[in-house]
Amino acid sequence: MLKLVAIVAAITGLAMWTFGLAVAGAGLFGGTAISGTDAAPLYMGVSGVSGLCFVVMGLMGMRASNVPSRSGTSIVTAFGSLAVSAVAVLFWSWQGFVKIDAPNAVLLVVGVLEALTILFFARKVKKEHDTWH
């Protein structure tokens, strides 16, 4: 289960990164174009970092499913992804929730659910590994 959720998380991270940069740069996919405003570089940075964190979390989850002794890195990256998601929500609240693009917001919610799921399964893998070794 950890590997399956991790693969989906990596794909979600790539989608989040793509949609976030496309919306911030050009206002594509129904989002409000914020290029040329003061918030555009910060928004692109938050989108890029959050997408990258979810991709790394997915890769570490896949690695932890193959090598259970490496499940600690998966747990740490899941916590990191949750922290970056909180920063994205804080950024959107700073803007008054008026510049939110729907695809990136949906991907962020899905990503948070995936991070919680990876955290749950990685902790189970770590617990099982510690029991037998």
Side-chain angles (χ1 to χ4, degrees):
M1 285 303 292
L2 178 61
K3 183 176 265 188
L4 179 66
V5 174
I7 290 170
V8 173
I11 293 169
T12 302
L14 288 174
M16 184 184 299
W17 187 74
T18 303
F19 282 135
L21 296 182
V23 170
L28 300 176
F29 307 111
T32 305
I34 62 171
S35 60
T37 66
D38 292 338
L42 185 58
Y43 184 84
M44 290 177 73
V46 168
S47 296
V49 169
S50 61
L52 184 64
C53 282
F54 280 102
V55 169
V56 169
M57 179 186 65
L59 293 174
M60 293 300 119
M62 286 185 264
R63 187 173 88 169
S65 66
N66 291 332
V67 183
S69 63
R70 304 277 181 149
S71 60
T73 57
S74 181
I75 293 170
V76 169
T77 56
F79 277 124
S81 295
L82 290 171
V84 170
S85 298
V87 169
V89 170
L90 285 174
F91 176 70
W92 282 336
S93 67
W94 173 61
Q95 289 185 317
F97 293 106
V98 294
K99 300 281 188 184
I100 297 176
D101 57 296
N104 208 18
V106 168
L107 287 171
L108 186 67
V109 170
V110 169
V112 166
L113 294 175
E114 290 168 349
L116 291 172
T117 306
I118 284 178
L119 186 62
F120 174 75
F121 284 126
R123 290 182 67 182
K124 285 182 79 87
V125 166
K126 182 172 179 54
K127 188 177 187 181
E128 184 177 332
H129 180 265
D130 291 343
T131 301
W132 291 100
H133 291 89

